[in-house]
Amino acid sequence: MLRVAVVGSGPSGVYAAQSLVQQSRVPDVRVHVLDRLPCPYGLVRYGVAPDHEKIKSLQKNLRTVLEHERIDFIGNVEVGTHGLDPERLLELYHAVVYCVGAAKDRRLGVPGEDLPGSHSATEFVSWYSAHPDASGNGFVLGARSAVVIGVGNVAVDVARILARGAEELRATDVPQAALGALAVSRVREVHMVGRRGPSQAKFTTKELRELGSLPAAEVVVEPEDLALDPAYADPSGSAPTALPAVNRRNLDVVRGWAGQPPQGQDRRIHLRFFLRPVELLEHGGRVAGVRFERTVPDGDGGVRGTGRYEEIEAQLVLRAVGYRGVPPAGLPFDAEHGTVPHTGGRVLRDGVPSPGEYVAGWIKRGPTGVIGTNRPCAKETVASLLDDAAMLTLRPVAADPLAALRESGHQPVPWPGWMAIEAAESALGLTLGRRSVKIADWPGLLSAAGGATHV
């Protein structure tokens, strides 16, 4: 029997587990999918916005995989500095596939970035997604205007949540505390700001169009901003450097919003372009606004500063400028690229493949692609693992890794524990007159898992 641990139960981890049990080259494979949280699905549960029901429904597909007879989900098991290290994992399993994502936000590197009221978009997403590590910060409380720095899908998500009315989110699984804060929010102006133009923005067209369909918000675009984009004045698409189709569609959507007269909606989403943050402004010990420098295209696909500045008032600033991998404890790490060095998914230690250690997902390739990109990425890694299987199975490992975990002081939450959490969240929703509502704290999750932790 080939025993494999997959560290991380998000899409890349689940796809790796699926590839391992669906192949026929090594028929006798048993997979434990380990996660630090007692809940599976990774960013599908804790990163996808609550109003994106279609994407969140992917959990049903991931669930089917985790219920496979040769796959066991084991939550509440930390791997890293405060938990199992790579050496111990290789005593329990023939192979370990690390699918731990890219958990660190990129920073702006400007004065005032750490002022109260300035947060990474990940912190905000974790709050409205009920991540148990999330701060109890009410975020929107006391704010009238918000600035979202970035023009990718994460920026669009947080801008949309800020601009939605709480009643629109009541039918989702957003936690009750976040729903309550959003219900009394006084945020009426949301500014989403990028340093380049709409033809270079990273959001997808579907996400972008959603902003224009919010029932209580209108989108405002300044024609002066768009005029700086070389592709804006070329609606025929005949510019020397052709735009990818998605960028052309995005530009067309934004062009349709430019200069539209006010619609009288309760909230406004301002899409701003060619503005680079240079300082977060302070008043009364908190963030009070952002100072931006106007940029212009530099002719090489980037931008340069002009020495002209503009300030936007904001009591809440959310930074959505990308992610970086965090060095997994005990594994080699390429700080420049934010990934673990590898070849075909095999972890490289001092340039040499380390027997039994593999990576997949963002920690392998960086924070790129969409959810579906994880499938071929995981398949490549599993193919490398299977090529090594004959060698890996020669090494003796624990007969029962789960029992060994318990003996060493861990309190794993297996699949029945997760089922108990799901049932508790459904019951919570009923008491609140809502659908299933996420439990947002560690004690609540572990209490809900209850006696199922020892099944």
Side-chain angles (χ1 to χ4, degrees):
M1 177 185 291
L2 175 65
R3 290 193 176 275
V4 180
V6 173
V7 181
S9 64
S12 62
V14 175
Y15 293 150
Q18 183 179 40
S19 295
L20 282 163
V21 298
Q22 285 185 342
Q23 53 77 38
S24 58
R25 293 168 57 189
V26 182
D28 197 9
V29 179
R30 185 77 183 202
V31 183
H32 282 181
V33 178
L34 309 179
D35 203 293
R36 184 177 70 87
L37 298 172
C39 310
Y41 312 136
L43 285 180
V44 178
R45 175 175 166 90
Y46 288 117
V48 175
D51 56 344
H52 274 176
E53 295 289 342
K54 185 174 181 180
I55 301 176
K56 288 177 74 68
S57 68
L58 176 63
Q59 291 183 32
K60 297 177 182 177
N61 297 334
L62 302 181
R63 178 190 189 120
T64 299
V65 175
L66 292 176
E67 289 179 332
H68 190 280
E69 61 183 1
R70 287 189 283 124
I71 297 175
D72 290 306
F73 169 76
I74 304 175
N76 197 38
V77 174
E78 184 161 5
V79 173
T81 305
H82 303 294
L84 299 168
D85 59 30
E87 184 177 352
R88 176 57 176 155
L89 280 172
L90 288 177
E91 293 173 355
L92 301 178
Y93 300 94
H94 294 112
V96 183
V97 185
Y98 294 90
C99 306
V100 292
K104 186 176 181 180
D105 293 271
R106 292 184 181 274
R107 291 178 59 83
L108 298 173
V110 302
E113 185 169 8
D114 295 317
L115 282 168
S118 168
H119 305 274
S120 71
T122 296
E123 292 177 273
F124 186 65
V125 171
S126 294
W127 173 69
Y128 69 61
S129 297
H131 195 291
D133 290 340
S135 164
N137 190 321
F139 285 95
V140 296
L141 299 178
R144 302 180 305 278
S145 175
V147 167
V148 180
I149 300 174
V151 284
N153 281 345
V154 174
V156 174
D157 277 350
V158 299
R160 190 182 66 253
I161 294 298
L162 285 168
R164 274 203 186 279
E167 275 306 307
E168 298 172 49
L169 295 170
R170 184 176 174 81
T172 72
D173 62 1
V174 68
Q176 191 68 12
L179 186 68
L182 292 167
V184 298
S185 169
R186 294 187 294 140
V187 174
R188 295 296 179 268
E189 307 289 334
V190 180
H191 305 264
M192 191 171 77
V193 188
R195 63 187 177 88
R196 298 193 292 181
S199 68
Q200 296 170 308
K202 299 298 184 182
F203 38 61
T204 57
T205 308
K206 180 179 182 295
E207 291 258 2
L208 181 63
R209 284 176 174 151
E210 282 185 282
L211 295 179
S213 62
L214 299 179
E218 58 185 297
V219 179
V220 179
V221 177
E222 302 293 337
E224 294 81 5
D225 285 1
L226 300 192
L228 296 171
D229 194 316
Y232 177 66
D234 180 43
S236 66
S238 59
T241 303
L243 285 178
V246 63
N247 298 82
R248 175 64 61 185
R249 290 194 298 269
N250 289 343
L251 185 58
D252 289 343
V253 172
V254 174
R255 180 186 282 114
W257 287 329
Q260 289 292 319
Q263 304 298 307
Q265 299 284 49
D266 187 46
R267 299 177 177 87
R268 284 181 292 276
I269 302 173
H270 302 263
L271 297 188
R272 301 298 310 276
F273 301 98
F274 293 106
L275 292 172
R276 177 169 58 199
V278 295
E279 182 182 5
L280 273 62
L281 308 174
E282 178 267 341
H283 179 74
R286 292 184 55 84
V287 70
V290 185
R291 190 175 194 229
F292 292 94
E293 182 182 18
R294 170 65 74 185
T295 62
V296 293
D298 64 5
D300 294 317
V303 294
R304 60 177 175 81
T306 63
R308 294 184 288 115
Y309 298 91
E310 176 179 336
E311 293 180 2
I312 298 178
E313 176 194 355
Q315 298 77 41
L316 173 64
V317 176
L318 299 172
R319 312 180 304 272
V321 292
Y323 302 97
R324 283 189 64 80
V326 175
L331 290 181
F333 190 68
D334 180 345
E336 180 181 353
H337 298 98
T339 58
V340 169
H342 72 93
T343 178
R346 294 181 179 91
V347 172
L348 297 177
R349 292 184 180 272
D350 298 322
V352 178
S354 176
E357 295 185 313
Y358 304 85
V359 286
W362 278 4
I363 202 63
K364 171 187 174 184
R365 68 180 190 275
T368 61
V370 295
I371 290 175
T373 310
N374 291 294
R375 192 181 292 276
C377 174
K379 285 184 175 180
E380 179 193 50
T381 295
V382 168
S384 295
L385 190 159
L386 295 174
D387 286 343
D388 302 338
M391 171 192 66
L392 297 174
T393 52
L394 295 175
R395 181 169 50 80
V397 295
D400 186 347
L402 184 54
L405 288 173
R406 290 188 175 123
E407 289 169 5
S408 60
H410 294 273
Q411 295 182 309
V413 173
W415 191 253
W418 161 238
M419 293 289 95
I421 291 171
E422 271 199 328
E425 292 183 336
S426 294
L428 176 60
L430 284 174
T431 66
L432 297 170
R434 299 175 56 194
R435 293 165 52 186
S436 179
V437 174
K438 286 180 181 174
I439 297 171
D441 61 280
W442 277 98
L445 289 170
L446 295 178
S447 175
T453 58
H454 294 289
V455 171

